[in-house]
Amino acid sequence: MNKPILIGITGGTGSGKSTIAKEIYNNFSENRIGMIEQDSYYKDQSHLSMEERVKTNYDHPKAFDNDLLVEHLRQLLECKSINKPIYDFSNHNRKSETIRVDSKEIIIIEGILVLEDERIRDLLDIKIYVDTDADVRIIRRMVRDIKERGRTVESVIDQYLSVVKPMHLQFTEPTKRYADIIIPEGGQNKVAIDIMVSKITQILQN
């Protein structure tokens, strides 16, 4: 197998980056494409009490174990398999189990700070920033957190204003300048998805 194509997809919370990643993923057979979520690489917090873990700022670069993520991406690019961590948000800690991920022709890495670390940027063949209006993103996050994580409207708004928004402006938004392609309106942008699929197909054929 030739060196895999590594694609980074980033954007703010609720921007539609996961939807873009899944749409691209679904256009190729599973034996050709793999997916890595940056969320899987939150640091192990076994040394902290539950009270301390709950205070974790998941939108800050220091929350991620980028050393392990970079090591794993390099192994995948060398056509080796990895054991991807699993993060348990209910316990605010990494699980003891892992998931085996085999190297594929195309590997997507998606997350809010994929372009923030220079080491990760340097490994990427294609860098995508999904740019969606803040009001749309907060609504999407609110719907997700209430439905999937049992949160109240008040707690979602408080977290967004105190942590998510300032971290986005400080760390995620500035990484837009590193992107090769900026996709407006997230997963609703079918034209951009089609262009990306065509580009990846062309690279594979060459």
Side-chain angles (χ1 to χ4, degrees):
M1 187 173 83
N2 293 328
K3 177 178 169 288
I5 302 165
L6 186 56
I7 303 165
I9 303 179
T10 193
T13 180
S15 62
K17 63 188 175 302
S18 299
T19 304
I20 292 273
K22 285 171 189 167
E23 288 286 339
I24 293 172
Y25 182 93
N26 291 334
N27 274 276
F28 297 90
S29 60
E30 285 190 1
N31 63 335
R32 302 191 79 186
I33 190 165
M35 179 96 74
I36 300 286
E37 303 83 10
Q38 191 181 22
D39 282 5
S40 299
Y41 288 83
Y42 281 118
K43 286 178 179 173
D44 184 88
Q45 301 197 108
S46 302
H47 60 292
L48 299 176
S49 68
M50 178 58 84
E51 188 180 354
E52 289 172 309
R53 289 183 212 165
V54 170
K55 296 174 183 174
T56 300
N57 177 356
Y58 287 109
D59 294 80
H60 195 284
K62 288 185 178 177
F64 293 96
D65 187 351
N66 278 348
D67 291 343
L68 180 62
L69 176 55
V70 168
E71 181 187 330
H72 279 182
L73 291 176
R74 284 176 178 155
Q75 288 174 348
L76 290 169
L77 289 172
E78 291 170 1
C79 303
K80 298 174 183 175
S81 299
I82 62 163
N83 293 310
K84 184 178 73 171
I86 303 170
Y87 201 83
D88 183 351
F89 284 93
S90 59
N91 286 317
H92 299 274
N93 203 13
R94 197 179 284 175
K95 290 187 176 183
S96 55
E97 313 96 85
T98 57
I99 297 174
R100 178 188 164 96
V101 177
D102 295 322
S103 185
K104 304 284 177 71
E105 290 176 272
I106 311 156
I107 299 162
I108 295 173
I109 166 78
E110 69 92 2
I112 58 169
L113 293 171
V114 163
L115 299 184
E116 192 272 335
D117 191 312
E118 185 179 5
R119 294 172 300 167
I120 298 174
R121 290 199 304 271
D122 288 346
L123 296 174
L124 298 171
D125 296 294
I126 301 173
K127 299 181 283 291
I128 300 171
Y129 187 97
V130 184
D131 196 15
T132 304
D133 288 345
D135 54 353
V136 175
R137 290 191 290 105
I138 176 60
I139 290 166
R140 286 178 183 165
R141 184 182 178 107
M142 192 175 294
V143 171
R144 181 201 69 187
D145 283 2
I146 292 169
K147 191 157 73 171
E148 296 178 16
R149 300 182 181 177
R151 303 276 301 280
T152 63
V153 173
E154 291 78 9
S155 71
V156 176
I157 292 172
D158 179 62
Q159 185 187 36
Y160 180 81
L161 293 176
S162 62
V163 178
V164 178
K165 184 180 179 182
M167 293 298 99
H168 174 81
L169 294 174
Q170 186 175 351
F171 297 111
T172 304
E173 182 91 21
T175 66
K176 192 192 297 186
R177 69 180 183 271
Y178 300 119
D180 301 310
I181 298 154
I182 296 172
I183 299 179
E185 302 311 319
Q188 310 305 316
N189 195 328
K190 303 299 181 189
V191 173
I193 293 166
D194 288 344
I195 290 170
M196 284 313 309
V197 169
S198 298
K199 178 62 179 173
I200 296 163
T201 303
Q202 182 186 9
I203 294 171
L204 288 173
Q205 289 170 346
N206 291 340

